[in-house]
Structures are given as C-alpha cells and as structure tokens.
Amino acid sequence: MRYYKLLFLGLVVFGNLKAYSQAPVDSVLTLQQCIDLAIKNNLDVKKSELQMQTQEIAYNQARENLLPSINGNVSHNISNGRSQDPTNYNYVTQQITYAQYNLNSNLTLFNGMSLINNIKRYSLAYQAGKMDFQQAKDLVTLNVITAYLQVLDNEDLLKATDIQVEQAQKQVDRLTILNKDGATPPATLYDLKGTLATSKIGAVNTKAAMGISKINLLQIMNVPLDKSVKLVRLSADQLPGNYDKNADEIYTKALNDLALVKAYDLRLKSAEKGVKSAKGALWPTITAFGSLASNYSSTGNTGYYSQIKNNYSSGFGVGLSIPILNYFQNRNKVALARIDLQTAKYNNDFTRIQLKQNIDQAYINMTSALERYHLLRDQVDAYGESYRIAEVKFNSGAITSVDFVIAKSNFDQANTNLINARYDYFIRTKILDYYQGNLAL
C-alpha cells in the first residue's frame, strides 16, 4: 500500500512539473508581450547574460587583487627517536608532540601599474559584455517584430483571399442559375469555377503560410506551440510614413548608439589596457609583508597556552623583486597583448565597414519598398476600377468570361502585392531603427 501511495505522489509531482514547464502563454498577445517573452526565454540572450556575469566577476577579481593576501598555517606533529625540538632547537631522543601556528600577509605596493591597468582592462571588458547583452536582446527584439509583422501580413492576406473566394463564389452561384436557364454558355460557368478553385487554393496556401509564420514567432519566443494564440493588431498610427533620415545620418547615429559598435569600441580600449598591464610585469615589484607566529612542544616546562603566549613572534618587511630573466615570458606576454590589440583594431574597423555596407543596403531596400508600396496603391486603384467595370460588363454580357477572369486576377494579385509591400516597408523601417539603437514599438 505504501508503495502505491509513493507512486501516486510521484506521478502527481511529475505531472505538476510537466504542466509548469509547458505552461501556456496568454491567448491574446501584444507585440510588447511577445518581445518580453522572447527576451526572457531566448537561449542566446541567456548565454550572453552569463558571459556578462563572467566578465563582471573578472572585473571584481581585478579590483580585489589590490587587497593584501592573508594566509594562516597550522601544523601538529609527533616525532619519535632522535629529533630536534622545534621550540628550542635542542636534539632530544624521545617522543615529541609539537605544534606551529603562522599567519602571513602580503601586499603589493608597486608592480609597474599592472594591477591598476588590469582593473581598467576588465572594467572595459565588463562594459563590452553589457553591450553584447543589449545586442542579443536587440536582435531578438528585431526578430520578434519581423515575425510578428509576418503573421499580421498573412492574416491580412487571408482576409483578402477570403473576400476573393466570396466574390468568385457569388459569380459561380449566379452563373449556375443562368446556365440552368440556358442564359449563359457552359464554358463561361466552368471558367468561373476554375477562378473559384484558384481563389480557394490561394486561401489554403495563405492559411498554411499564416500557421507557419505563427509557429516561427512562437519558436523565437521559445514557448509551447498553441495555434489558438492571437495577436493584437497594430493601430494605424503605429504604421510608419516616410522615413525621415538618410543613410549617412543613420550610420552616424549607429556609431554612437548601436550596442554592437559600442561593444567593439570598448574591447579595443580594453586591449589597449591589456598591453599596458603586460608591460607592467617588466618593472620591479615592491611588496610589503608581515607575519605572526607561535609554537608549542611537549618538552616545554609550561602549559600549552603559556607556551603559545611566550613563543609569540611577529615580523614585517618590504621586498623588491627585479625581473632579470624568466625565459622571456613577460616580453612574450607583451607581444601577445599587442597582437590582441591589433586584432581588436581589425575587428573594430571591420565592424564599421560592414555596418556601413549593411545600412546602405538596408536603406536602399527601404526606399525601394516605399516606392513599390506607392506604385502598388496606384495599381490597386487602377485595377480596382478596371475590375468594377469588367464586372458590370460581364454581368450584362458585354465581355467574355476570359476578359472578366483576367480583370479579376489582376485586381486580386495587385491587392496581394500591396499587402506584402506594406508590411515589407514596415519591416525595413524597423531594421533601420535597429541600426540606430532605437527599436521603438
């Protein structure tokens, strides 16, 4: 009976843990909620945070290296036969029980400013780690915004395809009645049925694309798949107008505000301090040291505590260590630090060059998307009027079904292209916002 109780308890606990780990997200999510969940759950962000914490510990250790070292030593020994009494240094032939107690301290007074430069080096590295952490969050934010807009894009496309299906269905229904009465050729009805099938296929494909885009968003957020999740629509004032900055302005702002650029700048400065720290090892080192000591021996004439008190000693001194030859290790460390500095310079230069190229490309993509959006609006207006006229003429028998199908296909395709262009432009503007370190929602 007890076994079954334990088994039941284990199943309950396991079930609760599993339910907790697979806790569903809210059924309706805003863009900000999606971003917050993604930043909270994203593994790259978590790893970046751990790296930042590692750099913080290294920085703290560099500061704490200025503190004196204090170490205590205790030893208890038993000696048999002829041995030297450690308390009076006389040789005796008997069993001796003795103890020694030492407390030592060491403080570096000067070592070529190596410790100070190390503090500055690791401080800059820690600041760079913070920028890496921010960069990881910014990338996740940009990915979420892009995926979120892709879902909205597919939702709008699905609405448009549903309208297209509804319009095609009405024409098929009308022509089916006319065909029964012999008022329209069968070929016309079959043309419209083919158009209806095309519209339905488009709706099926769009629905599948919407499902895939929603899965992609949830995967970025690292949450369990829930097809019932709905997204809050963006209001009209959140949709961008003409972009108010050119590529050079964006690049200038990116150099000042983008976390990625700041991280490489800080690493370059950290590498410079690394060279100075390595050079410090070529200088003499001045240290101060002190010690406290006492001991006890079973051969003593007094008790334990009396011996500890009577044998108490202390010392203080200053040491000078001059590096003369140590396998050229210090000079090689300086050479390696200079290589690290040059590598940091190359990385910094490469980042700026690549950033400029990416911004120029992103700006061209944005302007092209905006031009495409304006042209497609005009195209939708034109094809919309053409489709309206064609529908009137087709209903009155003035044109063939082929002409009507062409007019409808042109209008439907223009609507689809316009929806895609609208969200494409929105995404392009967010990419430029990212480069400026300003991913406002």
Side-chain angles (χ1 to χ4, degrees), residues 11 13 19 63 65 70 93 112 137 155 179 273 287 332 361 369 378 387 403 428 438:
L11 291 174
V13 171
R63 291 189 302 169
N65 286 341
I70 301 176
T93 304
K137 292 191 290 184
E155 286 181 351
N179 182 62
K273 296 299 179 183
T287 58
N332 286 329
Q361 184 62 52
D378 295 338
Y387 171 65
D403 295 328
R428 301 296 178 183
N438 181 32

Side-chain angles (χ1 to χ4, degrees), residues 19-147:
Y20 177 79
S21 63
Q22 298 293 328
V25 298
D26 295 339
S27 57
V28 180
L29 294 173
T30 64
L31 177 55
Q32 185 61 59
Q33 287 175 320
C34 291
I35 291 173
D36 292 341
L37 281 171
I39 291 176
K40 177 183 177 182
N41 298 331
N42 186 267
L43 296 180
D44 288 335
V45 173
K46 290 181 178 181
K47 288 191 293 184
S48 179
E49 185 177 15
L50 291 177
Q51 291 172 353
M52 179 188 68
Q53 292 172 356
T54 300
Q55 291 160 341
E56 182 182 14
I57 293 172
Y59 167 54
N60 290 335
Q61 183 61 62
R63 291 189 302 169
E64 290 157 1
N65 286 341
L66 292 176
L67 298 174
S69 63
I70 301 176
N71 298 286
N73 298 292
V74 177
S75 64
H76 284 255
N77 301 279
I78 298 177
S79 177
N80 294 300
R82 182 175 175 79
S83 61
Q84 187 180 44
D85 188 337
T87 59
N88 55 29
Y89 303 105
N90 293 326
Y91 282 94
V92 295
T93 304
Q94 67 180 76
Q95 186 182 72
I96 302 175
T97 301
Y98 61 92
Q100 294 177 320
Y101 306 94
N102 294 285
L103 186 64
N104 302 301
S105 179
N106 196 302
L107 175 63
T108 300
L109 300 178
F110 177 80
N111 68 337
M113 301 295 290
S114 183
L115 291 177
I116 299 299
N117 285 317
N118 250 345
I119 292 174
K120 296 177 180 178
R121 171 191 175 189
Y122 286 110
S123 174
L124 291 166
Y126 173 42
Q127 297 301 320
K130 287 183 178 180
M131 291 300 102
D132 287 336
F133 183 44
Q134 183 61 48
Q135 169 73 3
K137 292 191 290 184
D138 287 345
L139 285 176
V140 170
T141 299
L142 181 62
N143 290 336
V144 170
I145 291 175
T146 302

Side-chain angles (χ1 to χ4, degrees), residues 251 255 260-261 264-265 268 342-358:
Y251 177 66
L255 293 180
L260 176 66
V261 176
Y264 278 103
D265 285 341
L268 177 58
Q342 194 61 46
T343 301
K345 288 181 179 178
Y346 289 152
N347 289 337
N348 196 35
D349 293 341
F350 176 76
T351 299
R352 291 168 180 264
I353 293 172
Q354 190 176 50
L355 177 65
K356 186 66 169 66
Q357 294 172 349
N358 291 342

Side-chain angles (χ1 to χ4, degrees), residues 151-224:
V151 175
L152 298 186
D153 181 15
N154 287 321
E155 286 181 351
D156 286 355
L157 288 175
L158 185 59
K159 290 179 182 178
T161 54
D162 287 343
I163 293 174
Q164 294 167 14
V165 170
E166 182 180 356
Q167 292 173 342
Q169 186 65 58
K170 288 180 179 179
Q171 284 292 345
V172 169
D173 293 342
R174 187 181 68 85
L175 290 178
T176 299
I177 296 174
L178 293 176
N179 182 62
K180 288 181 179 179
D181 297 337
T184 186
T188 301
L189 174 60
Y190 292 131
D191 284 341
L192 268 295
K193 282 186 176 181
T195 301
L196 174 60
T198 300
S199 298
K200 287 182 176 180
I201 292 172
V204 170
N205 292 337
T206 304
K207 187 175 182 180
M210 185 182 71
I212 292 172
S213 62
K214 187 176 290 187
I215 290 173
N216 182 45
L217 174 61
L218 295 176
Q219 287 177 342
I220 295 174
M221 294 160 58
N222 199 17
V223 296

